[in-house]
Amino acid sequence: MSSQPAIRESRVSRTAVMALMFLLAIYFLLPVYFLIVAATKPQGDLASTNGLAFSDFNLFENLRVLFTRSDGIFGLWAMNTVFYAVLGAAVGTLISALCGYALAKFHFRGREFLFSVILGGVLVPTTALALPLFLLFSATGLVNTYLAVFLPSIVSPFGVYLARIFANASVPQELVESARLDGAGEFRTFFSVAFKLMTPALVTIFLFQFVAIWNNFFLPMVMLQKESLFPITLGLYQWNGQTARAPLLQQSVITGSLVSIVPVIIVFILLQRFWRTGLAAGSLK
Amino acid sequence: MTGIATRATRAVASSEGRRRRLNGGGPRAGTVIAFLIPFFLPFVLFYLVPVGYALWQSVRVVRRTGGQYGTSYTTFGGFEQYAEVFQNSEFWASIGRIGLFGVVQVPVMLFVALIMALLLDTPLLRLKSFFRITAFMPYAVPGVIAAIMWSYLYSPQLSPIVDLLKGIGLEPDFLGPGAVLWSAANVSTWLWTGYNMLIMYAALQSIPQELYEAAKIDGASNWTIAWRIKVPIIAPSIVLTTVFSIIGTLQLYAEPAVLRQISSNISSTFTPNMLAYAVASGNNYQQAAAISVVIAVITFVLSFGFMRLTSKKAGL
């Protein structure tokens, strides 16, 4: 009998908690839902029909227009994005892993100093770097090339920080020692022993760096004038600025936004166990 | 024979092992450098050199020989550029705007994130992975695209939200002079709440369960456990998310730049970074460098200041 009020109380709070979380979930889903609905509509229906309800299904025509507009430049932007973000994150992860592993497993003079310099790098705003980089790159003729965006993107101080934590946590010192006793060189030890043990961590670093490059709007905007070198974000930004003069672009901006984010969201859902461990490690200070 | 040979190699190997261990057990200097250089070379070139170059630029000034039409040359100007930054009313206006933005947006976002993290950590909630993924999903969306998505939800012609509010007799103007800052703040909140929530949630999950059992035996309610035990333990994560948020706020560029495309109430100097870019576009690189350096210094001071302040208070 005495437990009755407690049960009622927990039912009330359970309902309240679920209601609150559903409200928040609607908030997070709303813009994406709106985008999905809008991407399926003909341009004419965008303003004249309810934004949250489907009208005529025109998605495939919208996609065709999107990918054929300006000689198919959207497809080029998509490939550029893959180049900047996927390849940049892959190279960045590898060099972060080598450096973080060395900082974790090798004892040498100046180790802590180097690590503090890298940690200081985490605090430097990337936007503060972009303008001086532009001046340096224009002096060396690198502005308006793929490399102008790619090269600075591979550097991730945060990646080194994570790699060091992960190397300490997942590569036992005894294993490194015994590989040395077996006569394996340090690189052999790294690639055949440590690399495998660190794989989940490396996927995490890759994902974080991928998002950082994918999100970095300021650097490509400063470096690139040639439209053919743009990543999707910069291209859509430019189209979006032209919709006042060319209203038909609106539908392509909407469809293009959907095309650009849905694959990334799916990858994130599929790989969630990786970024969750990454966040867990990042939060342990 | 083979037995002796093996024993001999083993002896050599173990003596070499012992010698290495006495030396500190590490590889040769050349090997260490080979591991470090692939990161450090680009780090120096694309991080340290630009920082140094910005500092150098910021103490330069452009002068002209003769009158206004004389040839220009750059020379050392000391703190002239910085004096100009501090006298620039647009700079202070942008700092004031971003300060107001941060003082409101950061606490609201982190409070919501904390509540969500605490709720995800209770047995009260079901569908946990659904809520976790939904909240984190915006992290995969770039700021530019998030701002484009929200700008359609703000625009009077397209927005279902504006329609809905009109239906109940309101006349919302999300892009008006008073509202547009908060419309931008909403985009940041949408983007980053879930990310911050997950950092806090990850920290909550590493707390040993026995602690709660002990507290329950002492008669603590769920409420007390949450505020008196969980929150203090994850304080370092809350500090971390606050510092990240401060850095993010001071760097604000993409979201207001996108909203500027549809609202005349966002100027080209709306945030400090937009001001730096506008000045650089006017070819005044020395002044732009000085602004960038000032933004970076403010970022450092606020981040470190906040960390020191909270670590003293919490005794961490």
Side-chain angles (χ1 to χ4, degrees):
Chain A
M1 275 315 262
S2 64
S3 68
Q4 201 62 12
I7 287 172
R8 191 170 307 145
E9 190 195 33
S10 92
R11 196 170 296 160
V12 168
S13 45
R14 181 166 297 178
T15 315
V17 162
M18 288 299 279
L20 176 67
M21 290 300 264
F22 267 114
L23 272 179
L24 286 164
I26 291 172
Y27 171 66
F28 292 119
L29 290 173
L30 180 73
V32 180
Y33 173 74
F34 172 80
L35 201 65
I36 293 171
V37 171
T40 64
K41 288 181 181 175
Q43 168 77 31
D45 282 4
L46 280 178
S48 61
T49 60
N50 184 328
L52 298 178
F54 288 93
S55 69
D56 289 341
F57 188 81
N58 203 42
L59 176 64
F60 295 110
E61 173 60 15
N62 293 340
L63 286 170
R64 192 193 62 76
V65 172
L66 171 70
F67 280 98
T68 51
R69 193 179 281 287
S70 312
D71 298 326
I73 199 158
F74 186 81
L76 195 58
W77 292 342
M79 286 192 299
N80 293 341
T81 304
V82 169
F83 171 72
Y84 294 129
V86 176
L87 198 63
V91 174
T93 303
L94 181 65
I95 63 177
S96 296
L98 282 168
C99 183
Y101 173 82
L103 288 172
K105 293 293 169 199
F106 301 161
H107 299 269
F108 54 90
R109 241 205 285 170
R111 181 172 80 151
E112 292 310 315
F113 171 74
L114 286 183
F115 190 58
S116 344
V117 172
I118 294 172
L119 276 188
V122 175
L123 277 175
V124 178
T126 44
T127 38
L129 289 172
L131 288 174
L133 259 179
F134 167 76
L135 293 176
L136 288 169
F137 279 7
S138 50
T140 47
L142 271 175
V143 162
N144 245 339
T145 64
Y146 278 115
L147 289 179
V149 174
F150 182 79
L151 288 177
S153 298
I154 63 173
V155 186
S156 167
F158 190 60
V160 176
Y161 167 76
L162 286 179
R164 186 188 188 180
I165 293 177
F166 288 135
N168 263 330
S170 60
V171 185
Q173 191 67 37
E174 297 79 31
L175 217 58
V176 178
E177 296 288 341
S178 67
R180 277 180 195 151
L181 286 182
D182 286 347
E186 295 298 334
F187 278 98
R188 174 103 189 270
T189 309
F190 175 78
F191 281 106
S192 58
V193 180
F195 203 82
K196 276 192 198 111
L197 294 170
M198 287 173 72
T199 300
L202 297 179
V203 176
T204 312
I205 296 172
F206 176 85
L207 282 175
F208 280 110
Q209 200 171 353
F210 171 84
V211 169
I213 301 173
W214 170 225
N215 265 321
N216 191 352
F217 172 67
F218 201 66
L219 181 73
M221 191 196 63
V222 166
M223 291 293 176
L224 305 173
Q225 269 88 51
K226 245 191 249 163
E227 276 186 16
S228 59
L229 301 176
F230 284 7
I232 287 180
T233 44
L234 190 54
L236 288 178
Y237 172 76
Q238 186 178 291
W239 275 1
N240 195 45
Q242 295 164 0
T243 52
R245 273 177 289 126
L248 286 177
L249 264 175
Q250 211 165 44
Q251 183 50 262
S252 286
V253 171
I254 288 172
T255 311
S257 300
L258 183 67
V259 169
S260 72
I261 63 171
V262 164
V264 185
I265 291 177
I266 290 172
V267 168
F268 260 82
I269 291 174
L270 292 178
L271 295 179
Q272 58 161 318
R273 70 188 179 96
F274 290 108
W275 49 257
R276 285 183 58 206
T277 42
L279 284 170
S283 69
L284 299 174
K285 291 271 279 182
Chain B
M1 261 256 287
T2 45
I4 293 163
T6 332
R7 217 176 298 144
T9 34
R10 214 180 276 150
V12 170
S14 81
S15 87
E16 195 184 25
R18 210 174 295 132
R19 185 174 54 78
R20 276 193 176 212
R21 206 175 291 261
L22 286 174
N23 288 347
R28 277 194 306 268
T31 315
V32 174
I33 291 169
F35 270 84
L36 296 178
I37 208 77
F39 176 79
F40 267 96
L41 187 67
F43 179 68
V44 169
L45 286 178
F46 309 127
Y47 259 78
L48 301 186
V49 171
V51 168
Y53 189 65
L55 287 171
W56 161 247
Q57 282 273 328
S58 72
V59 295
R60 310 280 292 170
V61 284
V62 178
R63 298 211 202 284
R64 286 172 195 287
T65 54
Q68 210 185 336
Y69 301 101
T71 42
S72 64
Y73 62 98
T74 56
T75 179
F76 180 74
F79 291 108
E80 228 171 275
Q81 297 291 359
Y82 291 96
E84 204 176 304
V85 174
F86 292 124
Q87 281 159 20
N88 185 343
S89 61
E90 282 183 24
F91 172 77
W92 289 112
S94 72
I95 289 284
R97 232 173 260 129
I98 226 63
L100 184 63
F101 178 106
V103 165
V104 176
Q105 190 266 340
V106 172
V108 167
M109 170 181 68
L110 294 181
F111 183 72
V112 175
L114 178 63
I115 296 291
M116 289 184 79
L118 287 170
L119 290 180
L120 274 176
D121 196 49
T122 63
L124 284 175
L125 195 70
R126 289 188 201 148
L127 300 170
K128 280 184 192 194
S129 62
F130 166 74
F131 290 121
R132 208 175 46 219
I133 291 172
T134 321
F136 189 66
M137 174 201 64
Y139 178 69
V141 179
V144 174
I145 292 183
I148 289 176
M149 289 159 73
W150 275 102
S151 67
Y152 284 112
L153 291 171
Y154 295 148
S155 97
Q157 291 88 35
L158 298 182
S159 172
I161 298 176
V162 174
D163 285 348
L164 208 71
L165 292 172
K166 272 189 184 149
I168 56 168
L170 291 171
E171 282 289 325
D173 181 8
F174 292 117
L175 304 169
V180 77
L181 183 68
W182 308 115
S183 298
N186 173 57
V187 179
S188 295
T189 308
W190 183 79
L191 276 169
W192 296 104
T193 301
Y195 173 82
N196 291 308
M197 172 203 79
L198 276 171
I199 293 182
M200 298 177 194
Y201 178 63
L204 281 172
Q205 291 213 302
S206 61
I207 302 175
Q209 292 292 319
E210 297 85 60
L211 218 56
Y212 306 145
E213 279 153 29
K216 282 229 175 84
I217 291 168
D218 289 348
S221 67
N222 283 331
W223 193 254
T224 320
I225 291 176
W227 293 108
R228 296 281 176 81
I229 299 176
K230 292 183 180 182
V231 172
I233 290 180
I234 64 162
S237 297
I238 299 174
V239 172
L240 188 78
T241 53
T242 312
V243 169
F244 283 167
S245 306
I246 291 172
I247 297 175
T249 302
L250 282 157
Q251 290 198 55
L252 210 62
Y253 185 90
E255 294 87 341
V258 170
L259 292 182
R260 181 172 147 74
Q261 294 177 324
I262 57 160
S263 170
S264 55
N265 293 307
I266 293 185
S267 62
S268 63
T269 60
F270 196 72
T271 70
N273 261 322
M274 288 170 82
L275 173 67
Y277 183 71
V279 170
S281 306
N283 281 333
N284 194 346
Y285 295 121
Q286 295 77 19
Q287 179 66 20
I291 296 171
S292 298
V293 172
V294 173
I295 299 170
V297 170
I298 295 175
T299 310
F300 271 114
V301 169
L302 284 183
S303 311
F304 274 120
F306 186 80
M307 271 194 268
R308 299 259 337 236
L309 192 81
T310 46
S311 62
K312 251 183 213 156
K313 241 189 195 160
L316 297 167

